[in-house]
Amino acid sequence: MTAGERADAVAQARVSRPFAVTHRDVLRITLPMTLAFLTTPLLGLTDIAVAGRLGEPAALAGLVVGALIFDFAFSTFNFIRSGTTGLTAQAFGAEDGMEMQAVFWRAVILALGIGAALILLEPVISVLGLLAIAPDAEVAAATRTYLFWRMFSAPFALLNYALLGYVLGRGQGSLGLVLQLVINGVNIGLSILFGYVLGGGIAGIALGTVSGEAIGAAIGLVVVMRGFPAGERPGRRRILDRAGFLRMIALNRDIMIRSFCLLGGYMLFTRLGASLGALTLAVNGVLLNLFMIGGYFLDGVATASEQLVGRAVGAFWRPAFDRAVKLTTLWALGLSGLLTLVFLLGGNGFVDLLTTDAAIRETARPYVGWAAVSVLAGALAFVMDGIYIGATWSRAMRDMMILSVVLFAVLAYALVPVLGNHGLWLAFNLFLSLRGATLLAALPSRRRRTFGCFGAA
């Protein structure tokens, strides 16, 4: 029996649970989560604004450096959100309420364990981060203060990832938006109160963040647990099931490797930009904000694809899978095309808004088009990531990311010496396109392995 025949035999034994996927289903998750993702930058802006009013330049610099170190360490574990979404969506599609709760509690255990480890490792993270950035003594002291207090938010922040992943896996985008607004709103308010009004300084700003994450986690737990049907509560053995935990860990491991590779691609882009001079480095840093803004919108579509595809795989219903892939891809391409047009028309004004430096403004003009097109170039990659996470095809996603980063490095080192910064932006756009194209090329074979000849109408 061939591998394909074995897949068909397994598939034939499964029970399909038909459901339809519509544009409304896509927007029901995309719209609220796009709004939620767009509120995230407000946290950093608020902290910077508060620190800027303290009258201590070292405090502001220390916050910027400390937040950078924390975000680098913390982003390593943001897989908890996406991994929980995919597994929950599959259990939701299979109509297995007990497994949905088990997935949630496994994610909670993982989040609290990693969060506690981050607190214990804070001194090491602080030392390594300061060695890498090497600020002066006064800034380093402020950074250590910020990191010491901020790291206490790690368990709560990761728990909020688990909560968000669970509600999104159930398709509750509006609830996800409410939870994010509560966390971000309380975070902003308390950072202002503790850091500025009560005079807590940089430690107060960090404690505001800790308190916001803790309050958000408490509210989220109450809301989510109240929705658990009593008759579907899993026992301790089901929650601690070895196979279930190993599946979650393997999925999260692959997503983490994928995230590291993506970060490596961005670091290579920055490194090669720096090799072209400080002015080019500054210009690219400003222009990348166009891509990042587009990413907040595309993340909403990617989240919709995670839930709908995961549900289709759990329900073993290929028509819903195909429809989810088609609709989320169309929305991602349409939205990115609109954003690209907006950035092409208004990109120069956006650059002028971000910087008053005449040299940066003038140098950036020829590259605005590259930055605008990057949103469209990366659209397929965003939605394919969501599809692969929802289907829990994490190994294939990891492998395609590694391949894309290697090709990006080859292209960048070949094009930059010839075309300068234009060559760097061309390589970056090809990198984004390759990510989506390689995942799309691998999709038919992965779909065949998941559904066989069955799972279709």
Side-chain angles (χ1 to χ4, degrees):
M1 182 181 292
T2 66
E5 290 171 339
R6 284 196 298 272
D8 289 345
V10 173
Q12 191 173 16
R14 296 183 60 183
V15 177
S16 295
R17 295 174 174 80
F19 70 97
V21 176
T22 65
H23 288 284
R24 183 176 181 178
D25 293 321
V26 175
L27 294 178
R28 181 168 46 85
I29 302 172
T30 297
L31 292 179
M33 291 319 301
T34 297
L35 292 174
F37 292 137
L38 286 172
T39 65
T40 301
L42 294 177
L43 299 177
L45 291 174
T46 299
D47 287 350
I48 290 173
V50 172
R53 291 179 174 272
L54 297 178
E56 302 173 10
L60 176 57
L63 182 140
V64 172
V65 173
L68 179 64
I69 295 171
F70 178 87
D71 289 344
F72 183 83
F74 188 72
S75 63
T76 303
F77 306 104
N78 60 11
F79 54 70
I80 290 177
R81 201 285 300 164
S82 52
T84 304
T85 299
L87 293 172
T88 301
Q90 290 191 12
F92 182 69
E95 299 178 6
D96 190 344
M98 190 173 293
E99 180 61 16
M100 274 193 291
Q101 292 189 39
V103 167
F104 171 74
W105 289 117
R106 289 172 198 145
V108 168
I109 292 170
L110 199 60
L112 295 179
I114 294 173
L118 284 172
I119 291 175
L120 293 175
L121 291 172
E122 184 275 327
V124 178
I125 294 171
S126 180
V127 168
L128 293 177
L130 290 172
L131 284 174
I133 298 175
D136 63 42
E138 196 173 359
V139 173
T143 298
R144 282 191 289 268
T145 298
Y146 178 81
L147 278 176
F148 175 80
W149 294 108
R150 176 69 188 277
M151 200 61 74
F152 285 105
S153 71
F156 305 115
L158 292 174
L159 178 55
N160 284 322
Y161 275 168
L163 288 162
L164 182 61
Y166 176 79
V167 300
L168 292 179
R170 290 176 53 83
Q172 298 172 306
S174 296
L175 178 55
L177 171 60
V178 170
L179 292 177
Q180 289 301 106
L181 290 178
V182 168
I183 294 168
N184 294 343
V186 173
N187 193 328
I188 289 172
L190 292 181
S191 292
I192 295 172
L193 176 64
F194 294 158
Y196 183 68
V197 177
L198 298 180
I202 193 169
I205 295 172
L207 283 173
T209 300
V210 174
S211 301
E213 295 284 3
I215 292 171
I219 294 173
L221 276 173
V222 171
V223 172
V224 167
M225 291 178 65
R226 286 184 63 181
F228 287 162
E232 296 179 349
R233 291 177 181 170
R236 181 182 301 177
R237 179 173 295 181
R238 177 70 176 268
I239 294 172
L240 300 178
D241 175 65
R242 178 181 174 84
F245 253 116
L246 289 178
R247 186 184 183 205
M248 176 173 281
I249 291 171
L251 173 62
N252 290 336
R253 177 202 63 208
D254 292 336
I255 296 174
M256 182 175 68
I257 294 172
R258 167 258 181 199
S259 298
F260 270 132
C261 290
L262 183 59
L263 180 62
Y266 291 144
M267 291 178 67
L268 179 60
F269 178 86
T270 303
R271 179 183 178 86
L272 290 176
S275 71
L276 296 173
L279 182 59
T280 299
L281 177 62
V283 164
N284 288 348
V286 170
L287 291 176
L288 268 179
N289 283 282
L290 293 176
F291 175 70
M292 296 302 177
I293 291 171
Y296 289 124
F297 286 90
L298 292 173
D299 272 335
V301 184
T303 303
S305 67
E306 289 176 25
Q307 198 278 333
L308 295 171
V309 166
R311 182 183 175 190
V313 171
F316 192 57
W317 189 238
R318 180 171 162 177
F321 174 92
D322 291 340
R323 182 73 171 165
V325 170
K326 178 181 178 180
L327 293 188
T328 55
T329 300
L330 286 174
W331 275 103
L333 293 175
L335 183 58
S336 63
L338 177 61
L339 288 170
T340 295
L341 180 61
V342 170
F343 291 155
L344 284 172
L345 295 175
N348 289 334
F350 180 80
V351 171
D352 293 345
L353 181 65
L354 288 183
T355 179
T356 58
D357 188 293
I360 294 178
R361 286 179 171 182
E362 289 305 312
T363 306
R365 302 289 189 240
Y367 306 107
V368 167
W370 287 116
V373 171
S374 69
V375 180
L376 181 59
L380 188 59
F382 274 88
V383 74
M384 284 294 137
D385 276 351
I387 290 167
Y388 274 63
I389 289 171
T392 61
W393 299 337
S394 58
R395 181 176 296 181
M397 180 179 67
R398 176 201 67 193
D399 292 345
M400 293 303 101
M401 173 59 80
I402 293 172
L403 174 62
S404 297
V405 169
V406 171
L407 291 175
F408 170 52
V410 172
L411 288 168
Y413 279 107
L415 293 173
V416 169
V418 179
L419 300 175
N421 202 38
H422 285 290
L424 180 57
W425 276 100
L426 174 58
F428 182 67
N429 277 280
L430 289 173
F431 165 57
L432 297 173
S433 301
L434 282 168
R435 283 187 57 218
T438 53
L439 290 170
L440 179 63
L443 191 146
S445 65
R446 300 303 308 181
R447 180 179 58 187
R448 163 73 180 181
R449 292 184 189 182
T450 298
F451 293 101
C453 293
F454 301 90

